[in-house]
């Protein structure tokens, strides 16, 4: 194996010094950066109220900004003022007064009645019992009462205004304002609801190193206010669904979703559609698990994203709509989106046409036809390691490969293309992957660049030099495809030493066509010696072969890459009795 990385700087020999602490007001710098970033790039889609919020925030004192950020970065909205204590904020009373006078916080009042459960969560059961004692000493619930029952009793016995007054006398409670504005600012910066301000922290503490970008070349993610509003709305609907499905019956969940879809979901921005389609799949699958088959089918029909069509076929069949199920099977077979659709359409069509109660799936056929090896049963919970030992005893080199070296090869070979800001899919400096990474657009936007890179990488030596240099230059920078540990590069270079550049090119392009699907399902092991090599999908007696794994077996066979499926039969080891 030609390991060119030996000639390059050793990233493991470089001393990496990371900060162990952050300055007291670190969060102020992060928040102000986000607001300035959004103002600069999205001022044209911000409403007047949001621009006023930015101006009013800028005019706050530094300590007032700090406390507002402390409030805004918490998951709750209400706070007990007596328990507030931040060492970097000197005069808490003065800061609270400033925030209140400038309408950045508001005191507990009757307007918060529909959020009273949030307020109650701030207090312990003994404190709530004290509230009842202050209200009516002669009529108090038992001390053994559970807190939820106590809350219900309080709300039943007393008006909300009365409870507010008593609670405020015990300790002032405030609610942070401008929640919607802050949420929007963070959403416009990160482009989603799951990333948050901790991204700055992990960066500055050295836990994550991000790819560096020249900020002048970053593109905006949302061209119009509708793009932003619709994408945010779908994200919030997903969060709402996760909450209400715990309490509401499936019939109400179905009505809730369909009412929203009719009212707001039919004219969504193109930018919001990927999130909307995933939402459809989430709700439909839940309804299906709840045995709401007709309702699940109705919602599945709102998208063609996998696995919606497969689920529709199964539901149509179960509901007795055989002709419709057959027609949809034929449609899927003509243009499958992934391996699951491809093999499902063939297997299920055969099942329906032949009127078989049970058909042998192609994945099962392939597994049954595979060769078998014998491995000691002591490896039954570590089947891959048992197989590695087996092949090493046969004189082969072997390691656990599966998806990792293929993903790493792709990430290293195309690093600059993945993170090319000219493609306009990098929107903030803390972005881990381009925004189109798991969408079909990834390939279509970069097809010429990818093909040019592969044309330039026409020899093993050039491929090895490219990936080795990138590994050294980018070591430690986050990339969802590339692991950073000693030996990771050696695995990649083993692949390139065994396969011709032409075969590598074919595999890399197949991955690029669908990064969500085609970066998984690779065989478990790579075994090789001086004369031979093979990628091996290892299966224990209880394992199943997935459609994605069968896809790669077919693809490798089509392009002359040596690969096979191998079943493991357990054998009992001899026990030497003394």
């Amino acid at each position: 194996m030609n390991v060119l990385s030996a000639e390059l700087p050793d990233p493991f020999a470089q001393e990496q010094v990371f900060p162990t602490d952050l300055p007291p007001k670190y969060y102020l710098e992060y928040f102000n950066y986000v607001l300035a970033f959004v103002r600069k790039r999205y001022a044209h889609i911000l409403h007047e109220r949001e621009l006023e919020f930015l101006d009013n925030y800028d005019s706050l004192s530094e300590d007032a900004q700090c406390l507002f950020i402390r409030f805004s970065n918490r998951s709750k909205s209400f706070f007990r003022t007596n328990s507030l204590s931040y060492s970097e904020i000197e005069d808490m009373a003065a800061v609270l007064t400033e925030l209140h006078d400038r309408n950045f916080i508001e005191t507990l009042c009757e307007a918060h009645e529909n959020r009273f459960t949030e307020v109650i969560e701030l207090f312990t059961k003994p404190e709530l019992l004290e509230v009842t004692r202050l209200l009516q000493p002669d009529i108090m619930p038992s001390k053994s009462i559970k807190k939820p029952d106590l809350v219900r009793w309080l709300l039943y016995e007393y008006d909300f205004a009365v409870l507010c007054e008593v609670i405020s006398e015990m300790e002032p409670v405030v609610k942070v304002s401008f929640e919607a504005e802050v949420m929007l600012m963070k959403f416009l910066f990160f482009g989603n609801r799951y990333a948050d301000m901790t991204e700055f922290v992990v960066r500055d503490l050295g836990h994550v190193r991000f790819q560096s970008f020249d900020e002048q070349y970053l593109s905006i993610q949302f061209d119009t206010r509708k793009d932003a509003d619709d994408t945010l709305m779908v994200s919030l609907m997903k969060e709402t669904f996760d909450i209400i499905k715990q309490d509401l019956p499936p019939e109400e969940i179905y009505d809730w979703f369909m009412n929203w879809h009719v009212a707001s979901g039919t004219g969504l921005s193109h930018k919001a559609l990927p999130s909307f389609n995933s939402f459809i799949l989430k709700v439909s699958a839940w309804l299906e698990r709840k045995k709401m088959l007709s309702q699940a089918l109705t919602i599945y029909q709102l998208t063609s994203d996998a696995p919606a069509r497969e689920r529709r076929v199964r539901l149509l069949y179960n509901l007795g709509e055989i002709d419709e199920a057959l027609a949809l099977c034929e449609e899927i077979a003509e243009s499958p989106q992934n391996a699951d659709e491809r093999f499902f359409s063939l297997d299920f069509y055969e099942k329906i046409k032949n009127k078989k109660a049970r058909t042998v799936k192609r994945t099962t056929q392939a597994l049954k036809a595979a060769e078998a090896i014998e491995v000691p049963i002591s490896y039954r919970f570590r089947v891959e390691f048992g197989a590695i030992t087996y092949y090493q005893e046969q004189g082969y080199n072997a390691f656990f490969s599966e998806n990792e070296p293929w993903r790493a090869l792709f990430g290293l070979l195309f690093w600059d293309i993945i993170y090319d800001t000219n493609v306009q899919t990098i929107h903030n400096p803390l972005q881990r992957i381009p925004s189109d990474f798991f969408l079909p657009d990834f390939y279509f936007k970069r097809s010429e660049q990818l093909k040019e890179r592969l044309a330039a990488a026409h020899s093993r030596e050039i491929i090895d030099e490219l990936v080795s240099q990138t590994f050294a230059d980018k070591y430690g920078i986050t990339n969802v495809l590339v692991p950073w540990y000693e030996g990771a590069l050696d695995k990649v270079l083993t692949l390139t030493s065994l396969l011709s550049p032409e075969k590598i090119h074919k595999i890399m392009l197949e991955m690029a066509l669908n990064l969500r699907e085609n970066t998984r399902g690779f065989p478990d092991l790579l075994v090789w010696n001086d004369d031979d090599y093979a990628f091996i999908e290892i299966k224990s007696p209880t394992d199943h072969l997935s459609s994605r794994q069968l896809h790669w077996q077919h693809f490798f066979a089509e392009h002359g890459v040596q690969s096979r499926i191998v079943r493991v039969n357990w054998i009992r080891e001899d026990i030497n009795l003394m």
Side-chain angles (χ1 to χ4, degrees), residues 12 81 240 380:
F12 299 98
T81 60
T240 301
R380 65 187 179 277

Side-chain angles (χ1 to χ4, degrees), residues 40-53:
K40 179 178 180 181
R41 286 166 172 77
Y42 288 105
H44 65 289
I45 69 170
L46 295 180
H47 292 161
E48 182 178 352
R49 175 175 170 80
E50 292 145 4
L51 292 170
E52 288 179 356
F53 159 72

Side-chain angles (χ1 to χ4, degrees), residues 108-110 113 116 158-168:
L108 182 65
C109 63
E110 293 183 44
E113 182 170 4
F116 189 61
Y158 304 103
D159 289 340
F160 178 74
V162 174
L163 292 172
C164 279
E165 182 179 350
V166 175
I167 288 174
S168 298

Side-chain angles (χ1 to χ4, degrees), residues 100-112:
H100 183 270
D101 292 346
R102 300 291 304 279
N103 299 316
F104 277 79
I105 59 173
E106 53 192 53
T107 55
L108 182 65
C109 63
E110 293 183 44
H112 304 136

Side-chain angles (χ1 to χ4, degrees), residues 369-401:
E371 66 176 90
I373 61 174
E374 294 185 335
V375 173
I377 197 171
S378 58
Y379 287 103
R380 65 187 179 277
F381 300 120
R382 301 177 301 148
V383 61
E384 293 88 0
F385 292 102
I388 287 174
T389 301
Y390 171 87
Y391 285 108
Q392 288 174 337
E393 290 173 351
Q394 307 302 311
Y396 286 90
N397 300 297
F399 63 71
F400 182 72
S401 54

